[in-house]
Amino acid sequence: MRTAFVLSALLVASAWAQQPLVYNRAVVNAASFVPQGIPGGGIARGSIFSIFGNRFGPASGMQVSAFPLATTLGGVSITITQGNTTVNAIPLYASNTQVNAIMPSNAPLGMASLRVVNGAIKGNPVPVRIVDNAVGIFTATQAGVGPGILQNFVTADNQPINAPTLTAQAGQVITLYGTGLGPAPNGIDTTQPTASNLPTPVEVFVGGKSASLLYHGRSPCCAGLDQIVFQVPADAPLGCWVPVFVRTAGATVSNAVTMAIQSDTSTCSEPLNRLASAIVNGGKAGAFVAVRASTHEDIGTRSPIDVTVDYHAAILYDMKSSLFPFNAAVSLPPAGTCTTYSVAGDLLAGDLLPGGVPSARLLDAGPAFNLTGPRGARTLTSVVPPYRIGYLGGAITGNLFPGTLFLDPGAYTLSGFGGADVGAFQASLNVPQPLTWTNRDQIMTVSRSQPLTISWTGGTDQQVGIVGFGEDLPTNASTSFVCVAQQGSTSFTIPPYILSNLPATRRNILQSKSVIYFVSVPRSGATPFTASGLDAGVAMFAYINGKTVVFQ
C-alpha cells in the first residue's frame, strides 16, 4: 500500500512538473504589452497576442513559415473557452517560455478562459478579456513604448523606419504597423490576407493633431498584422519624440509610440531639452534635479491634508548611440502635446516605466554632492545606491512634529567633488516662487471621456507640465500620462483619448491610486554646467503639486 501510494504521488508530481504554466496576468497584446487591467488592454479578435510562462514547448523557439497556418505548432496549442464554446488560437511562435498567437476572429467576446496545451498536457487556466478591436503599435524597443515601427515613405523602394536621424516631414506618408484592428474580413485567420480596409473606424493622432488616413487593414504579408497608412498633419509639432496614438471605434486607444518630425530631412532637434543630443547621438550626460513635491489628499481621508517632501535626484550615464534612442524620463513630448504609458505594476510605489532607466554605464562622480542655499548647506547622500536619490526634508499639515523643508525660494549652488569618471564642478539653480494651480480644489471626479482643463496663475516665467497616474491595485495595472504646456500659457486641456486608458477608480478607493500632478520648472529650463568627463550637464528645480482625484 505504502509503495503504491509513493509511486502514485511521484507520477502525479511528474505530470504536474510538466504542466504548462502561464504566469499571472501574462497574456497581452504582442505589440503594446498593455496589461488587461487597462481599458485598452483587451485582446482583439484577429490580433496577435503573447503569452508568457514556462514549460510551454520546444526549448528552441519555432516559428511558422508558410500558409495555411495551423492550430498547433511544435506540439503547442491554445484553447479559448467561454461556457460551452471552445475555439483554438493560431500559434505563430512557440518556445518554452513564450507563445505568440492569433486570437481567432470567431473568439467569444467578453471574459474567457485560456489554456496552453503541450502535447496532451493542459496548462493552468487563466482569464482573458476578448474585445472586437484594441490596437497595439509595434515599437523598436520591443517594450510597447518609445519609437514606433513607422516607415517613412520616400519611394516605393525606400521606406526607412522613422527615427531621430531619419525624420519625417509634414505631409509625408507613413506606414504604421500594429495589431488589433479587428476580425479578419472573411473570418479566416489561417490564410494569407488580402489588402482591404477593415470596417473598424480608425483615427490617428500625431502630436495631438488628426492625421488623414489612406489605408487601415491587414498587411498582405502576415496574418494578424495590421497596417495603417496616414499622412503627417501639416500642423504636427516638431521634435524627436512626437507621440502617436490610434483610436478605434471612437473609444479604444492604443499604446503611445513616438516618431521624429523635422521641417527638413535633418536629425531632429529639441531646443528646450538640453539632454536630447546626448540621448540621440550618444554621450556622457549628467542631470541634477531638486524637487519640492506636495500632494493635497482629500479623497478617502477624514479631512484634507497636504504632504510635502523635498528631495534630490541625479543621473550620470555614458549613453551609447542608438538608431532608436529613448528614455522615458528625458524623451518628453513637444510642448502642447501629451503622451501615455500603460504598464504592469504600481508606478507610484516605485515600479519603473519601461525605458525609465537607461541601459548605459553609470558614471562615477564621487561619493556625494553638496547643495547650498537660503537654509544653509546640505550634503546630498543617496538612499537607493547606486542611484543618486535622497531626502532633503518634509512637512505634513496637522502633524505634531515641526517641518524640515529645505528648498525655499532663492539661489542655490550645487557642488560636485569629482570621481573616477566625472571631475569636480559647480552649478547654479534658482528656486522661484511657486505658481498657483487655480482650479485644483474643484477637480474631484474626472470623466475620462471628457476633456480636462488645468488652469494656473503666477506669471509666465515657468514651464508647466501635467502628469497623472491611475493605478488599479487588484490587477496590478497602471497608466500614466505626461503633458507639456506651451510656454507662456495659463491653462492646458487634456484630451479624452489621453485620459481614456486610465483605469477607473474602484468603489473601494483603497484598491486604486488616482492622482494628478501640476509640475512647473523655471522657463529657462535646466541650467547647463561643465565638468571633465561629461559631454552635457544640467541642473534644475521642479515644483510638483499633486491632487488626489476619482477617475470615472
Side-chain angles (χ1 to χ4, degrees):
M1 293 268 310
R2 179 176 296 176
T3 301
F5 175 79
V6 171
L7 288 173
S8 177
L10 288 173
L11 287 172
V12 170
S14 175
W16 179 261
Q18 302 304 313
Q19 183 186 36
L21 173 65
V22 178
Y23 295 150
N24 190 30
R25 306 186 186 101
V27 179
V28 292
N29 179 287
S32 68
F33 301 102
V34 170
Q36 293 196 48
I38 299 301
I43 307 300
R45 288 170 160 176
S47 71
I48 305 171
F49 66 101
S50 296
I51 309 167
F52 296 95
N54 202 2
R55 302 189 295 271
F56 287 163
S60 297
M62 295 183 62
Q63 189 163 327
V64 297
S65 57
F67 291 103
L69 305 178
T71 56
T72 301
L73 177 65
V76 176
S77 60
I78 308 104
T79 61
I80 313 292
T81 301
Q82 185 187 81
N84 296 323
T85 301
T86 295
V87 296
N88 288 93
I90 299 102
L92 302 175
Y93 170 84
S95 72
N96 198 43
T97 58
Q98 179 178 345
V99 174
N100 295 339
I102 297 175
M103 181 63 67
S105 290
N106 65 342
L109 294 174
M111 295 304 299
S113 177
L114 177 147
R115 286 182 188 264
V116 174
V117 182
N118 185 353
I121 305 175
K122 295 181 179 180
N124 58 309
V126 296
V128 59
R129 179 166 59 93
I130 303 170
V131 297
D132 200 54
N133 53 80
V135 169
I137 306 173
F138 287 98
T139 63
T141 63
Q142 299 183 18
V145 300
I149 302 298
L150 290 80
Q151 290 180 313
N152 299 335
F153 183 89
V154 182
T155 67
D157 298 326
N158 184 11
Q159 299 185 51
I161 296 176
N162 182 278
T165 55
L166 295 167
T167 57
Q169 289 74 54
Q172 188 163 9
V173 173
I174 304 294
T175 300
L176 174 154
Y177 287 89
T179 186
L181 280 180
N186 55 6
I188 299 174
D189 304 291
T190 55
T191 59
Q192 187 168 3
T194 57
S196 64
N197 284 327
L198 290 173
T200 302
V202 176
E203 300 165 273
V204 174
F205 300 97
V206 179
K209 308 298 182 180
S210 295
S212 297
L213 299 187
L214 304 177
Y215 176 78
H216 52 91
R218 289 286 191 271
S219 173
C221 79
C222 311
L225 181 66
D226 295 323
Q227 290 181 201
I228 300 175
V229 183
F230 65 90
Q231 284 185 290
V232 178
D235 54 350
L238 307 181
C240 296
W241 300 286
V242 179
V244 177
F245 296 85
V246 173
R247 182 165 65 183
T248 51
T252 307
V253 179
S254 71
N255 56 316
V257 302
T258 67
M259 68 179 297
I261 304 175
Q262 193 68 15
S263 58
D264 52 32
T265 58
S266 62
T267 298
C268 67
S269 63
E270 294 276 350
L272 298 179
N273 188 340
R274 299 182 187 274
L275 293 180
S277 178
I279 297 174
V280 171
N281 302 309
K284 297 177 180 178
F288 171 85
V289 59
V291 177
R292 171 161 291 181
S294 180
T295 303
H296 184 69
E297 299 183 12
D298 57 357
I299 303 292
T301 60
R302 290 187 177 181
S303 59
I305 61 171
D306 291 276
V307 180
T308 306
V309 178
D310 289 345
Y311 64 92
H312 63 88
I315 55 171
L316 298 102
Y317 286 103
D318 182 3
M319 300 186 183
K320 302 302 181 185
S321 61
S322 166
L323 181 59
F324 304 106
F326 180 76
N327 178 278
V330 184
S331 301
L332 299 175
T337 71
C338 302
T339 193
T340 65
Y341 302 96
S342 295
V343 300
D346 185 344
L347 294 173
L348 287 173
D351 290 339
L352 296 174
L353 290 171
V357 176
S359 56
R361 182 176 68 89
L362 283 167
L363 297 175
D364 180 0
F369 294 161
N370 184 272
L371 186 64
T372 303
R375 285 184 174 266
R378 185 73 61 86
T379 299
L380 307 182
T381 55
S382 175
V383 296
V384 284
Y387 304 106
R388 294 176 174 269
I389 302 173
Y391 175 78
L392 286 169
I396 301 176
T397 55
N399 195 294
L400 296 177
F401 297 98
T404 58
L405 295 172
F406 180 76
L407 295 171
D408 289 347
Y412 289 76
T413 299
L414 174 70
S415 300
F417 306 104
D421 298 313
V422 178
F425 66 87
Q426 280 201 336
S428 299
L429 64 153
N430 178 60
V431 176
Q433 293 292 333
L435 301 178
T436 300
W437 179 2
T438 52
N439 65 338
R440 184 195 71 175
D441 294 344
Q442 287 72 54
I443 299 175
M444 299 290 287
T445 299
V446 175
S447 171
R448 296 168 298 151
S449 62
Q450 299 296 321
L452 173 65
T453 298
I454 305 295
S455 304
W456 59 91
T457 60
T460 58
D461 60 340
Q462 297 183 52
Q463 179 70 55
V464 168
I466 313 297
V467 180
F469 291 89
E471 306 193 354
D472 186 65
L473 299 181
T475 60
N476 193 39
S478 303
T479 290
S480 173
F481 66 81
V482 178
C483 302
V484 178
Q486 295 283 5
Q487 287 195 354
S489 59
T490 57
S491 68
F492 187 92
T493 299
I494 305 165
Y497 72 85
I498 295 296
L499 300 171
S500 64
N501 265 337
L502 292 162
T505 304
R506 292 191 177 243
R507 185 180 299 274
N508 178 359
I509 60 172
L510 296 179
Q511 295 181 322
S512 300
K513 295 181 181 180
S514 307
V515 62
I516 294 174
Y517 290 104
F518 174 83
V519 182
S520 60
V521 300
R523 187 171 179 180
S524 57
T527 303
F529 66 85
T530 58
S532 61
L534 282 184
D535 298 311
V538 295
M540 62 184 295
F541 172 82
Y543 279 114
I544 301 178
N545 184 356
K547 166 73 168 64
T548 53
V549 298
V550 171
F551 290 123
Q552 195 175 66

